């Protein structure tokens, strides 16, 4: 079992990770921690958003825009933001923890079909695992995603047949 993640006070001492993060042991260990040990606080709504190039994710322009819109519609106590994609799947409150703020990778620039298939397989399983873990934690689940991220979310949610995910059809 993975050791509990700790908020890195010494982030400059942490290695900056390169390459596809979904292959790296640090991300698998972090995923196992989230699934096996981390306590997700129940909320009415889970909002799944794709990871971003800028770290922490909440500082990216797209995340700031989406968060602004969400905050105009819902009270913060009603929803929980969950980030997913090449990072795996991570509750937003863990975004500054190692390894989530310590990598740079963009799947959209990858031309290797085998890597894309591996991502889809790995992320589908991680999404399904998180949905299974949190099946009693949320009443509703909303996902904003496109491309392979969307496909991983669809496939992961289909593995959890008792759950419904609402997908945004428009780009923001």
């Amino acid at each position: 079992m993975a050791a509990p993640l700790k908020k890195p006070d010494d982030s400059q001492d942490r290695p900056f990770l390169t390459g596809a993060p979904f292959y790296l042991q640090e991300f698998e260990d972090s995923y196992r921690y989230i699934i096996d040990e981390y306590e997700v606080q129940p909320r009415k709504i889970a909002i799944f958003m794709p990871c971003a190039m800028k770290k922490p994710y909440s500082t990216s322009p797209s995340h700031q825009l989406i968060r602004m819109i969400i905050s105009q519609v819902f009270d913060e106590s009603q929803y929980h933001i969950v980030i997913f994609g090449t990072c795996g799947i991570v509750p937003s409150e863990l975004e500054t923890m190692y390894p989530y703020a310590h990598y740079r990778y963009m799947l959209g620039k990858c031309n290797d079909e085998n890597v894309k298939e591996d991502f889809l397989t790995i992320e589908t399983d991680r999404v399904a695992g998180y949905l299974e873990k949190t099946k009693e934690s949320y009443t509703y689940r909303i996902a904003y995603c496109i491309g392979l991220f969307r496909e991983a979310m669809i496939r992961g949610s289909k593995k959890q047949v008792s759950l419904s995910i609402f997908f945004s059809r428009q780009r923001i």
Side-chain angles (χ1 to χ4, degrees):
M1 187 168 306
L5 296 175
K6 294 180 182 161
K7 189 173 183 177
D9 297 322
D10 57 342
S11 61
Q12 60 270 41
D13 295 337
R14 298 286 187 155
F16 194 78
L17 303 170
T18 58
F22 44 90
Y23 290 132
L24 300 176
Q25 190 61 46
E26 292 91 339
F27 286 86
E28 179 60 24
D29 292 346
S30 298
Y31 169 73
R32 292 292 355 139
Y33 165 72
I34 291 165
I35 296 302
D36 297 335
E37 298 179 43
Y38 187 72
E39 291 186 36
V40 175
Q41 297 303 308
R43 298 284 172 86
K44 186 174 185 177
I45 304 164
I47 301 173
F48 294 86
M49 294 172 30
C51 57
M53 198 65 150
K54 188 168 183 178
K55 314 294 184 294
Y57 310 116
S58 61
T59 63
S60 78
S62 61
H63 280 234
Q64 288 181 345
L65 176 62
I66 293 167
R67 286 170 181 263
M68 181 196 65
I69 293 167
I70 291 168
S71 71
Q72 292 174 1
V73 177
F74 299 111
D75 181 84
E76 193 172 309
S77 66
Q78 294 179 292
Y79 66 91
H80 184 220
I81 293 177
V82 182
I83 309 302
F84 76 105
T86 59
C87 63
I89 192 157
V90 57
S92 63
E93 62 273 17
L94 301 180
E95 73 174 346
T96 61
M97 294 180 172
Y98 186 82
Y100 302 115
H102 295 82
Y103 76 99
R104 187 173 179 88
Y105 182 76
M106 190 168 177
L107 187 63
K109 292 189 176 186
C110 176
N111 295 319
D112 187 330
E113 291 304 316
N114 291 326
V115 171
K116 290 178 183 181
E117 274 303 314
D118 287 351
F119 163 77
L120 199 49
T121 300
I122 293 166
E123 188 61 9
T124 294
D125 289 343
R126 288 178 177 170
V127 166
Y130 186 83
L131 292 175
E132 175 62 28
K133 174 191 174 78
T134 61
K135 64 185 174 192
E136 303 296 328
S137 300
Y138 311 118
T139 305
Y140 303 101
R141 292 151 195 85
I142 301 167
Y144 171 74
C145 46
I146 59 174
L148 287 175
F149 289 15
R150 181 183 182 97
E151 187 61 30
M153 182 59 71
I154 290 169
R155 290 182 186 188
S157 65
K158 284 182 178 178
K159 287 187 171 194
Q160 299 302 318
V161 293
S162 63
L163 300 177
S164 296
I165 306 280
F166 299 95
F167 292 94
S168 168
R169 295 192 182 270
Q170 297 178 353
R171 291 187 74 149
I172 295 180

